Amino acid sequence: MRGIVRALPALASLGALVFTLGPAPAADEPAVPINRATPTRIMPLGDSNTAGGDAVGAAYRADLWQLLRADGRPVDFVGSVTSGPSGVLGDRDHEGHGGWTIGQIQDSISGWLTTYRPDVITLQIGTNDMYDDASAGAAPGKLATLIGTIASTLPDVQLFVANLPQLADPNHYARVAAFNSTIPGIVAAAGTHVHYVDANSGLYQPYDFVDMWHPNYGAASKAAIRWYGALTGVLITRFEAEQTANATITNARRVSIASASGGAKIGYIDYPDSSVTFRFQVGSAGTYRIRARGANGMGAVCSHHVSANGGTPATVSYPSYSWDLLGESAVDLPLNAGWNTVKFTKGDCYTELDAIDLSPVPTA
C-alpha cells in the first residue's frame, strides 16, 4: 500500500478519483480478508440507498460484491431482504428498507442480528430523518442509540457507518450536512469495532443522482470503492476511461450512460487497432492489481488484452451481464516507479470499458 500512497499527489493532478477513508482495521487485519475458512458474513443495513433506489436496484452492493469477488475474498451477504440484479450481484441478501428511518431500523435490529449473526455490518441510515428540523435534530441521538444496540447485541461485529449523500433541496441538504458532521464523533465514541466511512462526499447533484434522494448506478460504484477500502484496508485509485487526462482513445468511441461511474464509457473497441491507453504514476515498482469495470452484453465471456509499458499482454475476461450492468474483472501487472502506460486492446468478442481501479496487489 505504501507505493500507491506516495503516488497520490501525481494521481490527483491527472483527474483520477482518489478515495480517502476514515478509521478502519489495520491493513494486515482487514474486516474482509482474502483467505478465510468460512465466508465473511456482511449485512448491508439501511434504507433505499442500501436496497437500491438507483435505476438498477442495488445501490453500492453490486460493485462492492464485484470488487470483493475480484480479490477472491469469500463473502456471504446476509439479511431478510433479497433484491438486485442477478449475475452482476452474485449475493442479493441485505437489510435495506426503502423509506425507513433510524428509529424503524432500531425497532428491528436486535432480531436481525440474532438471526443472521453478521461478522461485518455496512450501515448507511438517516436520509428519511431529514424531512424536517425536528426529526433531523433527533437523528444523531437515534444513530448513537442504534450503534449502541448493535454493539451490545454482537460485541465482536465490525460496524462501518457511512455519511449520507447530498440532497437536491437546499433545506434538506442543510440538514444532511449538519447530521453528517456529527457522525465521526458518534463513531469515535462507540469503541474500536465501529468505523466511519466517508462513502458519499464525492457524489454531486444532479449529475450523480436519479432523483433528489438516490445516487445512480454509476455514482453508487464510486461509493462502493470507499466501502471496499474501509472493509479491506486497500486504497483504490479510479481512472475514468473517457477522461482525456487519464487515457488516450484510439479507434473507439465515447458512449454516455448513467451506469458508467463518470457518466460515460468507451465502446466500439472492435478492431485490431482499437485501444484505450491509460497513463499514470505510482510511487514504487511492484505488481499492481488493475480492476477493469466493463460492460459485456454478448451472452458469452469476452476479453481485452492488457499490457503495461509495452510488455507481454495479459488477458482480462468479463462475464456477460448486459451492456448496462458493469462488472469488475482483475488482472495483475508489473508497474515501474514513476510513469506507466497500461493499454487495453480488443480480445475475444466485445466489451465496453468504463474505468480501471488500481491498487497494489492485496496480500491480506
Side-chain angles (χ1 to χ4, degrees):
M1 188 164 163
R2 189 176 305 148
I4 199 76
V5 170
R6 287 206 301 266
L8 292 188
L11 293 175
S13 69
L14 288 173
L17 300 178
V18 181
F19 299 122
T20 57
L21 309 168
D28 59 348
E29 297 180 357
V32 184
I34 293 174
N35 298 308
R36 182 173 172 170
T38 57
T40 301
R41 295 169 64 82
I42 301 176
M43 177 180 284
L45 175 64
D47 51 33
S48 58
N49 283 324
T50 296
D54 58 300
V56 174
Y60 66 85
R61 293 182 292 119
D63 274 72
L64 178 58
W65 185 85
Q66 287 282 332
L67 287 162
L68 296 171
R69 180 195 61 83
D71 272 0
R73 298 178 188 271
V75 297
D76 177 15
F77 284 9
V78 298
S80 62
V81 183
T82 301
S83 68
S86 58
V88 69
L89 178 54
D91 190 334
R92 302 164 65 229
D93 299 331
H94 62 94
E95 287 294 356
H97 299 268
W100 280 35
T101 63
I102 301 171
Q104 288 173 296
I105 296 292
Q106 173 70 41
D107 290 342
S108 298
I109 190 63
S110 295
W112 293 333
L113 296 181
T114 55
T115 298
Y116 296 104
R117 312 293 299 184
D119 305 302
V120 173
I121 296 171
T122 57
L123 173 63
Q124 180 178 307
I125 191 64
T127 293
N128 296 300
D129 295 85
M130 299 295 115
Y131 281 100
D132 57 57
D133 291 340
S135 61
K142 291 181 178 180
L143 178 63
T145 298
L146 175 60
I147 290 172
T149 300
I150 293 171
S152 63
T153 305
L154 292 181
D156 293 329
V157 75
Q158 293 284 352
L159 173 60
F160 294 81
V161 184
N163 56 355
L164 304 183
Q166 73 167 248
L167 303 179
D169 178 82
N171 291 327
H172 286 150
Y173 184 58
R175 298 181 192 116
V176 168
F179 176 60
N180 281 347
S181 71
T182 70
I183 298 175
I186 294 169
V187 167
T192 58
H193 287 183
V194 185
H195 317 280
Y196 172 70
V197 184
D198 177 9
N200 293 296
S201 65
L203 309 185
Y204 301 101
Q205 287 279 2
Y207 313 102
D208 288 326
F209 288 72
V210 295
D211 54 30
M212 70 175 294
W213 305 103
H214 302 107
N216 62 35
Y217 177 29
S221 80
K222 294 186 284 188
I225 289 177
R226 299 188 178 199
W227 283 112
Y228 167 89
L231 270 58
T232 65
V234 177
L235 177 67
I236 281 182
T237 304
R238 170 163 289 184
F239 297 95
E240 298 288 351
E242 77 281 358
Q243 293 182 4
T244 56
N246 297 331
T248 300
I249 313 305
T250 301
N251 200 14
R253 196 183 311 168
R254 186 181 191 274
V255 179
S256 295
I257 186 169
S259 59
S261 68
K265 58 187 176 182
I266 302 301
Y268 304 94
I269 310 171
D270 296 352
Y271 308 100
D273 64 339
S274 297
S275 65
V276 181
T277 303
F278 296 87
R279 187 170 184 263
F280 53 82
Q281 292 187 76
V282 297
S284 61
T287 304
Y288 285 75
R289 179 152 296 167
I290 296 171
R291 305 160 186 83
R293 190 172 192 258
N296 168 15
M298 295 296 296
V301 175
C302 297
S303 65
H304 287 140
H305 300 309
V306 189
S307 60
N309 302 312
T312 302
T315 299
V316 59
S317 298
Y318 306 88
S320 180
Y321 301 126
S322 82
W323 297 116
D324 296 325
L325 296 174
L326 290 94
E328 296 256 3
S329 296
V331 61
D332 295 343
L333 293 174
L335 299 179
N336 302 324
W339 287 100
N340 293 266
T341 59
V342 172
K343 185 176 183 179
F344 285 71
T345 58
K346 184 185 180 304
D348 293 332
C349 54
Y350 307 102
T351 299
E352 298 171 328
L353 185 61
D354 175 28
I356 60 171
D357 297 325
L358 175 70
S359 78
V361 174
T363 59

